[in-house]
Amino acid sequence: MPPTTHPPINGQAISDHLVRLNLHPSPSFLHSFISSQTRNLPINAVCHSARFRILNADIRECLSPPPNQLLPRDLTRSNPHDLPAQERHLAGPFVLQIAWVEDIGKSKWSQLTEWEQAKRDEGREKVVGLADADSDDAAEATHPANAIGQGRSQALAPKGPFKLHLHDAQNPPAQVHGVTVGPIEGINVDVPMGGKILVKDVVVARGVMLLDSSNTTLLGGKVHALATKYKEGRIDYLRRHLEGDGTVG
Amino acid sequence: MRKILCVAEKPSIAKAVANHLAGAHVPARSVTGSTYTKNYEFDYNFGPPWNQCRVVFTSVAGHLTVTDFDPKYKNWRAFPATELFEARIDVFVKDDNKPIERNIEQEARGAFALFIWTDCDREGEHIGMEVRNAARKTNANIQVKRAIFSNIERAHIIEASRRFHELDEKQAAAVETRNELDLRIGAAFTRFLTLSLQKVSPKLEDRPVISYGSCQFPTLGFVVDRYWKVRNFTPEPFWKIAVMHQKQGMDVRFTWKRGHLFDRMTVVILFERCLAAKHARVSKVTKKPTRKYRPLPLTTVELQKNGTRFLRLDSKRVMTVAESLYNKGWISYPRTETDQFDKATNLRPFIEKQAQSTQWGQYAQGLLDGGFQFPRSGRNNDKAHPPIHPVNFVFPNTLASDDERRVYEFIVRRFLACCSADALGESTTIDLTYGPERFATSGLTVLEKNYLDVYPYERWESSAQLPPFAEGETFVPTEANIVDGKTTAPDYLTEPELIELMDRNGIGTDATMAEHISKVKEREYIRAVARSGAGAGEGEEEGQGNVGRGARGSRGGRGGRGGRGGRGSSAGRGGGRGGLDQLVPTQLGVALIDWYESLNLDKNVAKPFLRKDLEVQLKAICDGAKTKTQVVQTEVEVYREIYARQSQQVALLKAVCSPMWLSDRDARLQY
C-alpha cells in the first residue's frame, strides 16, 4: 500500500502517457508500479520511470495492448499445409520484444572466429593481421586472406542483415521472424535481448517481417535474464551449428 | 706520402671501390692465410684534409668476431640452463677470420687513418667497430672515419670518398645487444626444449637439437595460427540472387549488393519480391575516370614479397641474388626500408643507362623523352639507403644465372614503372533496382596502360564492353536466379603473406626476415608444399549450373570504387598466387606452438610482441635513449620468468610431443 502521507499518484496520467508512446500498460503492471512509488515525484519523472520499467521488463508481464496492436495468430502458419501469404500489410503499431538475433550476412564460422579473436585479444596487444590497416601501397592492400570464409562480395555488402526472433505481449506470445532489409539504428548482434522495438505499417512476406528504418524503431531496454542467456549462449549456438552437419539454413 | 687503410665488408666491394678510386685496374695482392681477401694498393687524392694518400684497400668477410659462452658451458648437463642468462660471454675472432684480422693489424701499422667502407646499416656499423678494434691493436692512435654509400656506381663512390663520417657506436651497441640476447635466450631455451624432449619420441631422436630462436618462434606461430584456421574451418552454405539481362546481344550480369546471405528463407523471400516487381529499373549510371597507381619505390620487404610472388624464388634466394647483383655494382644496396626517393635525386642517369636494353630500352627512352614522372613517395625512410634501383645496365645474358637475370629484370622494371605515369581508365557502374533489392554491374575500359607496359607483373585489363543503359530505363531481366554456394577454407600461409605478417608485427628486420623463414624451414618446424587444388583462395565457391562463376567477370571493375583503380588485387591474385608454395607446420611445429599457447603467458613467445618489444628497445639504443646494459637486463628478466613458467609444464610438453600424440596428428595432417 502506498504511504498515506502522499497524495495518490495519478494512475490515469501515467497510463495516458505510456499509451501515447504505444506502450499499453497492463493493469497489474500499473498497479505494482504505482504501489512501488514511495516518493512524491513530479509526474514527468514518474512517467519516465514507468517507461523505463516497461522497457526493462518482460513484455508479457507489463503490456496489454488492444487487439489491433497484437500480432495476428495466423501470421506464420495460416494453415499447416500452406505457405504463409506472399505479402501481407500490417498497420500496427506493434511493440515487440527481441528474443534472439542472428547476423545472416556473415558466416557463422567467421562470427565465431571474430569472437574468439576478440576474446584472445582482450586486454592484450593485438597481432596485426593481413586484413588490418590499409597499406598505402596499391598492389598488396587487398588480400584473399582478408575474406576468409566470407567471399569477396562481402566487402560490398552493408553489415547484417539481421534476422530477429520477435514476439508480442500475448500469453502465449505470437512469434514472428523479422529481417532487417535496411539498416536500423541500434540493431545488430549486440543489441540486448528483451529490448523492444516499435513496428508500424510493415510488410510481412511469407510470414517474415521486412524491417527497415521507415517502419521500425528500437525503443531499447533489455530483460536481464534473456540478455545474459543470449550473450552466453550465442557462441555455443554458433559452435553447435558449425559442429553439426554444416548445413544450417 | 701518407698511408691510409680502407676496409670494406666483403672482397667484392673492396675490389669495386678500389678500382673506381684508382681509376684503373688495380692488381690484387693475396693475403696470407685467406683465400678470398685481397689487398689493393694505389694512390688516391681524397681531397682535403687527407689529400693525396697511399691507399691499401682490403676487406673483411662479414663479422670478424663471434660471441659465445665460456667453453665450460658446452657441457649441457653440467649447469642448469638458467645459468646461461648470466654466464660469462666472450667475444673473440673465429679461427678462419684470424688471417683477416692479422692483415688489418699489419696494414694499420704506419697508416695515419682507417677509412671504413662497410655497408651502411646496423651490422655494417658493428663490423666497422670490429675492424677499428683490430686496427687499434697495432696503431692505437689511428684516425677512424667511415664512408657512407648505398651503391657501388662510380660517381657515387667517388663522392662518398670525399666525405668522412664517424662510426655510429650506438648502432654497433644495438647489434651487440641483440647478439648477446639471441645467444643467451636461444641457448637457454634450446637446452630446455632439447633436454625435455629427449627420449620422448622416437620420431624426435634423429633430431639432436630442438632449437629455439626468438624470431623463429613467432614466425612459426604465424604459420601454425593459419594452419589451425584452415583445419578448423567448416564450410557453410550461402545463397544469392543473380540477375542477367541480354541487351544488344550481350549478356550483362548484375550482382547483388548484399553479396550473399547465409539464410535461405530470407533470400527466397527477397527473390520472390524481385520477381513480383517484374521490372527492374536502372537507378544510376556512373562513368568516372579511374586509375591504377604505379608501384612505390622498392623496399627490401617488397622485393622479397614480389620475388616470391612473381619470380617464384623463396625470400632467402631473392636476397642472395640481390646481394650478388649489388656486389657486382648493378643495383643499389638491397637492404632498405625506404620507399621514397629524395626529391633532389636526379633519376634520369639511371633511366638513361637502361635505354640500351633490347627489352625495355625503348620504354626507358620514352620516359627520357617526356614520359618521366617523379616516383610516388611511400611513408618509410630509413635515412640510410634509397629505395632499391638499378645503378648500371648489364646485358642480362652476361649475368651468372637465370635467377640473377630475373631479379635484375624485376628491379629494373619496377624502377621504370615507378618513374612512369599511372595507368588510366574509365569505369562504368550501372546500379539497378529490382523490387526491394539493389544490384550493380560495372565495366572498365583501360585508356592508357602507361607503367603497365613495362611492368607485366600486374594486370589491369578492360572488361567486356557494356551495352548502353540509360538512367530510369526499365526492363524485365532476361534471367534471375538464386545461386547457392558454400564458403571454402582459407589457404595455408604463403611466403609473401608470412613476410607481410612479420613486417607488420616487427619480427626481424627487413634484412633478416628471409633468414628466419629459412631457419624455421631448415629446422623442420614448417615446410613448403606445393598448392593442391586450385581456385580455393577466395573463400567462395558457387554452385554449378545457374549463373555459375560467370558472375565474377562483371565485378571486374570494382576498382571503380573510390577511384583507386583496380588496386592490383584482382590481377595480383589471379596471376600471382596460383602456384605459390604453401607453408605448413610439421607436427613438431604445431605441438611446440600449441604448448606455448597453453602456458597462457602474458607475453607468449609464439606471438610477435616480445620480439617487437626488443626491436623497439634496440631502436632506443640507436637513438641513445637506452644503453646496452639496460636492455639486456630488462629482456633477460622477461625471459627468465617465461623460463620458470615453462619449466613447470614439462610434463605437458612431453605429453603433447609424445609418440602417440604425434601419430594421432599424423592422421590429421594431409599435405
Side-chain angles (χ1 to χ4, degrees):
Chain A
M1 291 302 288
T4 48
T5 49
H6 294 300
I9 288 175
N10 187 342
Q12 191 58 44
I14 297 169
S15 176
D16 288 350
H17 174 81
L18 292 171
V19 167
R20 274 197 299 278
L21 299 171
N22 296 300
L23 302 169
H24 294 264
S26 65
S28 61
F29 169 81
L30 209 55
H31 179 77
S32 90
F33 175 74
I34 290 169
S35 54
S36 70
Q37 299 300 300
T38 52
R39 287 193 300 141
N40 193 8
L41 292 171
I43 185 73
N44 279 354
V46 176
C47 286
H48 193 82
S49 150
R51 176 178 177 274
F52 179 82
R53 288 273 289 278
I54 288 179
L55 293 182
N56 289 285
D58 192 303
I59 191 174
R60 286 164 294 189
E61 288 159 13
C62 59
L63 293 189
S64 79
N68 65 338
Q69 298 189 22
L70 289 168
L71 295 175
R73 285 283 178 191
D74 61 354
L75 205 53
T76 47
R77 43 189 120 138
S78 46
N79 170 335
H81 306 294
D82 283 347
L83 274 173
Q86 183 176 344
E87 179 171 318
R88 195 164 158 180
H89 291 263
L90 296 178
F94 306 106
V95 173
L96 303 174
Q97 184 165 296
I98 307 171
W100 197 264
V101 182
E102 271 179 65
D103 187 339
I104 57 172
K106 274 186 193 163
S107 68
K108 293 192 169 59
W109 186 83
S110 66
Q111 293 181 54
L112 192 60
T113 311
E114 273 169 29
W115 179 85
E116 283 170 344
Q117 191 61 50
K119 180 130 179 136
R120 270 200 299 274
D121 291 344
E122 235 168 70
R124 293 188 188 191
E125 213 176 331
K126 193 169 169 282
V127 178
V128 187
L130 290 168
D132 298 316
D134 210 349
S135 134
D136 173 83
D137 187 13
E140 274 70 40
T142 327
H143 211 279
N146 299 359
I148 289 167
Q150 283 298 308
R152 245 168 73 190
S153 45
Q154 199 58 37
L156 299 172
K159 234 170 101 58
F162 301 99
K163 189 175 189 177
L164 310 178
H165 299 218
L166 303 165
H167 64 81
D168 66 5
Q170 299 177 75
N171 222 341
Q175 302 181 0
V176 69
H177 280 146
V179 169
T180 60
V181 292
I184 300 168
E185 208 185 324
I187 295 192
N188 53 54
V189 287
D190 295 324
V191 69
M193 290 308 105
K196 318 291 184 285
I197 59 172
L198 176 67
V199 180
K200 290 183 216 182
D201 296 320
V202 68
V203 170
V204 182
R206 301 291 184 200
V208 175
M209 276 188 169
L210 304 180
L211 310 173
D212 61 28
S213 57
S214 74
N215 57 27
T216 307
T217 319
L218 176 67
L219 301 176
K222 71 170 174 184
V223 175
H224 192 76
L226 294 177
T228 314
K229 198 176 134 211
Y230 168 81
K231 256 191 161 163
E232 288 166 357
R234 189 171 98 87
I235 296 310
D236 268 354
Y237 163 84
L238 293 173
R239 220 172 254 148
R240 256 199 332 275
H241 276 266
L242 286 175
E243 280 163 9
D245 56 2
T247 51
V248 211
Chain B
M1 209 184 312
R2 296 199 296 174
K3 175 182 168 188
I4 184 168
L5 173 61
C6 294
V7 183
E9 189 165 320
K10 316 173 244 300
S12 59
I13 301 288
K15 181 181 178 187
V17 176
N19 285 329
H20 282 325
L21 297 186
H25 176 75
V26 189
R29 188 161 56 76
S30 298
V31 171
T32 324
S34 171
T35 326
Y36 301 107
T37 315
K38 302 276 188 266
N39 290 350
Y40 301 87
E41 293 192 30
F42 54 95
D43 294 339
Y44 181 69
N45 190 335
F46 287 92
W50 291 352
N51 299 315
Q52 193 76 14
C53 296
R54 180 72 188 157
V55 182
V56 175
F57 213 119
T58 187
S59 69
V60 287
H63 287 278
L64 259 185
T65 62
V66 286
T67 306
D68 207 348
F69 293 109
D70 188 298
K72 71 176 180 184
Y73 291 100
K74 290 273 182 276
N75 182 352
W76 285 28
R77 305 247 174 213
F79 299 91
T82 42
E83 256 188 51
L84 299 175
F85 286 127
E86 66 247 23
R88 206 189 81 222
I89 283 179
D90 298 323
V91 176
F92 55 91
V93 175
K94 278 181 296 184
D95 284 346
D96 50 347
N97 273 335
K98 290 246 163 81
I100 298 176
E101 187 194 32
R102 219 176 300 126
N103 180 46
I104 290 170
E105 287 170 16
Q106 270 166 21
E107 295 299 338
R109 240 181 235 125
F112 80 96
L114 170 66
F115 198 14
I116 288 169
W117 287 77
T118 50
D119 293 348
C120 297
D121 54 18
R122 264 187 215 170
E123 301 300 323
E125 234 50 51
H126 186 252
I127 296 169
M129 209 63 76
E130 295 173 319
V131 170
R132 183 197 64 187
N133 293 345
R136 281 190 178 163
K137 283 190 189 167
T138 53
N139 186 344
N141 296 321
I142 197 164
Q143 194 186 135
V144 182
K145 294 288 171 189
R146 188 217 207 299
I148 291 189
F149 63 106
S150 61
N151 66 65
I152 51 170
E153 187 267 330
R154 189 173 172 277
H156 181 75
I157 289 299
I158 302 285
E159 178 119 336
S161 74
R162 300 184 187 286
R163 283 172 293 141
F164 315 115
H165 300 266
E166 299 303 321
L167 269 175
D168 187 342
E169 310 245 0
K170 288 181 282 206
Q171 287 198 49
V175 172
E176 280 174 19
T177 308
R178 199 210 50 218
N179 285 346
E180 179 172 343
L181 286 169
D182 282 353
L183 176 68
R184 289 189 189 284
I185 296 160
F189 278 59
T190 298
R191 276 179 206 198
F192 169 80
L193 291 176
T194 307
L195 295 177
S196 303
L197 291 177
Q198 254 176 11
K199 306 223 158 44
V200 153
S201 160
K203 291 192 183 188
L204 298 179
E205 258 165 26
D206 48 353
R207 284 173 184 267
V209 166
I210 312 287
S211 80
Y212 176 91
S214 54
C215 279
Q216 282 111 56
F217 265 61
T219 304
L220 173 59
F222 289 126
V223 177
V224 173
D225 188 59
R226 177 65 71 84
Y227 165 81
W228 283 119
K229 278 207 173 104
V230 176
R231 304 305 298 180
N232 291 333
F233 184 81
T234 313
E236 287 167 74
F238 59 73
W239 295 265
K240 62 185 184 181
I241 302 175
V243 172
M244 193 275 281
H245 188 60
Q246 269 175 354
K247 192 168 188 186
Q248 299 184 354
M250 288 175 264
D251 289 1
V252 185
R253 299 182 192 282
F254 290 88
T255 48
W256 197 17
K257 288 270 181 140
R258 295 190 196 275
H260 53 243
L261 300 183
F262 291 85
D263 185 80
R264 184 169 179 277
M265 179 68 174
T266 302
V267 178
V268 170
I269 289 170
L270 295 173
F271 178 62
E272 192 178 48
R273 298 181 68 75
C274 292
L275 292 186
K278 207 158 174 192
H279 285 87
R281 182 174 167 277
V282 176
S283 52
K284 205 169 162 201
V285 177
T286 326
K287 274 187 196 289
K288 63 181 171 198
T290 173
R291 60 176 59 216
K292 183 167 168 57
Y293 285 92
R294 56 201 167 130
L296 284 170
L298 189 61
T299 61
T300 307
V301 169
E302 283 299 307
L303 173 64
Q304 291 175 2
K305 284 196 303 191
N306 289 316
T308 45
R309 189 168 290 153
F310 300 138
L311 310 179
R312 299 275 184 272
L313 300 173
D314 73 31
S315 52
K316 191 177 175 201
R317 177 76 189 141
V318 173
M319 287 317 291
T320 312
V321 171
E323 197 85 40
S324 133
L325 289 169
Y326 161 73
N327 288 338
K328 291 172 186 157
W330 307 128
I331 63 165
S332 63
Y333 192 59
R335 301 187 186 280
T336 173
E337 291 167 31
T338 309
D339 54 9
Q340 43 187 245
F341 280 103
D342 189 283
K343 289 283 185 244
T345 323
N346 182 8
L347 297 174
R348 290 183 71 92
F350 302 119
I351 302 174
E352 272 161 19
K353 288 189 172 134
Q354 297 300 329
Q356 54 192 302
S357 162
T358 50
Q359 288 166 277
W360 51 78
Q362 213 176 344
Y363 186 90
Q365 191 56 50
L367 292 182
L368 296 168
D369 294 343
F372 174 78
Q373 292 200 5
F374 198 84
R376 293 202 286 143
S377 283
R379 291 184 216 138
N380 308 295
N381 193 333
D382 63 15
K383 304 267 165 50
H385 298 284
I388 304 166
H389 62 280
V391 291
N392 258 315
F393 177 76
V394 57
F395 284 102
N397 52 12
T398 63
L399 284 170
S401 70
D402 195 44
D403 289 350
E404 285 198 0
R405 276 188 286 280
R406 292 163 69 221
V407 172
Y408 179 72
E409 174 172 352
F410 173 75
I411 290 170
V412 173
R413 288 185 181 276
R414 170 78 171 220
F415 172 68
L416 296 175
C418 284
C419 298
S420 307
D422 296 338
L424 300 176
E426 184 185 64
S427 77
T428 306
T429 307
I430 296 158
D431 289 313
L432 195 69
T433 306
Y434 185 28
E437 296 303 291
R438 289 175 303 128
F439 298 80
T441 191
S442 56
L444 170 73
T445 310
V446 175
L447 301 171
E448 291 176 37
K449 289 188 76 179
N450 296 331
Y451 86 88
L452 290 170
D453 282 327
V454 77
Y455 201 62
Y457 313 100
E458 285 178 9
R459 273 185 294 149
W460 198 49
E461 276 153 23
S462 297
S463 60
Q465 204 62 41
L466 286 175
F469 281 95
E471 243 169 66
E473 179 181 341
T474 59
F475 55 84
V476 179
T478 317
E479 256 180 40
N481 289 309
I482 292 181
V483 180
D484 60 359
K486 62 181 194 321
T487 57
T488 56
D491 285 328
Y492 294 110
L493 216 55
T494 60
E495 193 157 325
E497 286 176 317
L498 180 56
I499 293 170
E500 176 83 29
L501 282 170
M502 293 170 75
D503 185 36
R504 288 183 170 208
N505 289 286
I507 296 304
T509 61
D510 52 353
T512 57
M513 277 181 221
E515 204 62 45
H516 300 316
I517 297 176
S518 144
K519 272 261 166 58
V520 181
K521 282 185 194 161
E522 199 180 292
R523 288 168 178 177
E524 286 181 40
Y525 292 148
I526 68 173
R527 63 180 67 137
V529 294
R531 230 170 107 89
S532 58
E538 300 192 331
E540 178 178 356
E541 199 173 81
E542 283 165 11
Q544 295 300 306
N546 287 339
V547 176
R549 300 187 76 94
R552 187 157 296 143
S554 57
R555 268 192 232 130
R558 66 198 274 272
R561 273 188 307 147
R564 284 230 66 177
R567 304 212 68 173
S569 53
S570 34
R573 185 174 306 168
R577 210 174 134 82
L580 274 185
D581 280 355
Q582 305 187 119
L583 303 176
V584 183
T586 60
Q587 302 160 45
L588 181 63
V590 174
L592 290 173
I593 294 299
D594 282 3
W595 176 70
Y596 269 118
E597 201 88 45
S598 75
L599 295 184
N600 224 348
L601 300 163
D602 252 3
K603 296 253 176 185
N604 187 345
V605 299
K607 291 275 184 264
F609 316 122
L610 277 168
R611 191 65 196 188
K612 191 191 264 173
D613 281 356
L614 176 61
E615 299 289 349
V616 170
Q617 309 239 48
L618 294 180
K619 185 87 197 344
I621 296 178
C622 292
D623 297 342
K626 284 202 171 141
T627 66
K628 178 187 163 193
T629 320
Q630 286 172 322
V631 172
V632 169
Q633 267 175 8
T634 328
E635 290 289 311
V636 162
E637 279 324 301
V638 171
Y639 279 92
R640 211 193 274 279
E641 238 180 273
I642 296 172
Y643 193 97
R645 188 71 171 273
Q646 70 183 4
S647 304
Q648 297 162 359
Q649 298 293 337
V650 182
L652 183 60
L653 174 64
K654 287 182 176 168
V656 294
C657 294
S658 75
M660 197 205 288
W661 192 88
L662 287 180
S663 63
D664 175 44
R665 276 295 164 86
D666 237 354
R668 301 182 59 185
L669 281 175
Q670 302 148 0
Y671 296 127

